[in-house]
Amino acid sequence: LYLKKYDHPELRILVTRALAYYGFAFFVWNIDNNFCGTLRSLRYENPLAPVFQFHAHWHWFAGFGTYHYMIFTTFIHMLEQGKEVDLKYIFWIIPYVSARHMKT
């Protein structure tokens, strides 16, 4: 609904990333649930043990998805208040919403 109401490509990017992160988190979570025993055995005395901590990856990616959705809702909230907003990034990957100062 808001994607049609406001013509901001940034909104589509935020929603797409939020859904992609959550979708990947769900995928990783299912792998962890179905192959927990196998993954656990791969972690013993393996220098790549953190790679096989799929439950931790689930939390990371679900958190990224939540964060992107929160930025999406913040962006829309500011637009609803009539503010001019920009989507900016920290280190080119972490988005945040910035309100432009309006000249009076």
Side-chain angles (χ1 to χ4, degrees):
L1 180 67
Y2 286 107
L3 293 175
K4 290 184 179 183
K5 184 175 179 179
Y6 298 107
D7 187 26
H8 285 275
E10 295 93 352
L11 291 175
R12 191 168 307 279
I13 290 168
L14 288 169
V15 167
T16 301
R17 286 184 183 170
L19 291 173
Y21 281 131
Y22 256 103
F24 188 70
F26 182 71
F27 174 72
V28 169
W29 176 71
N30 277 299
I31 290 173
D32 187 53
N33 280 338
N34 292 313
F35 300 104
C36 184
T38 304
L39 292 170
R40 189 171 291 159
S41 67
L42 289 172
R43 287 184 277 224
Y44 292 112
E45 296 183 28
N46 189 338
L48 298 175
V51 173
F52 302 109
Q53 295 282 349
F54 280 33
H55 189 81
H57 298 319
W58 145 255
H59 284 284
W60 277 101
F61 287 108
F64 292 153
T66 301
Y67 178 76
H68 277 76
Y69 188 74
M70 289 172 51
I71 297 300
F72 170 77
T73 56
T74 301
F75 197 105
I76 289 175
H77 179 73
M78 293 174 88
L79 289 173
E80 287 286 313
Q81 291 180 335
K83 296 180 180 176
E84 294 184 26
V85 294
D86 291 315
L87 185 66
K88 296 186 178 183
Y89 291 89
I90 300 170
F91 301 118
W92 303 280
I93 51 173
I94 303 170
Y96 68 95
V97 179
S98 175
R100 286 186 232 143
H101 294 288
M102 301 172 108
K103 296 179 182 177
T104 55

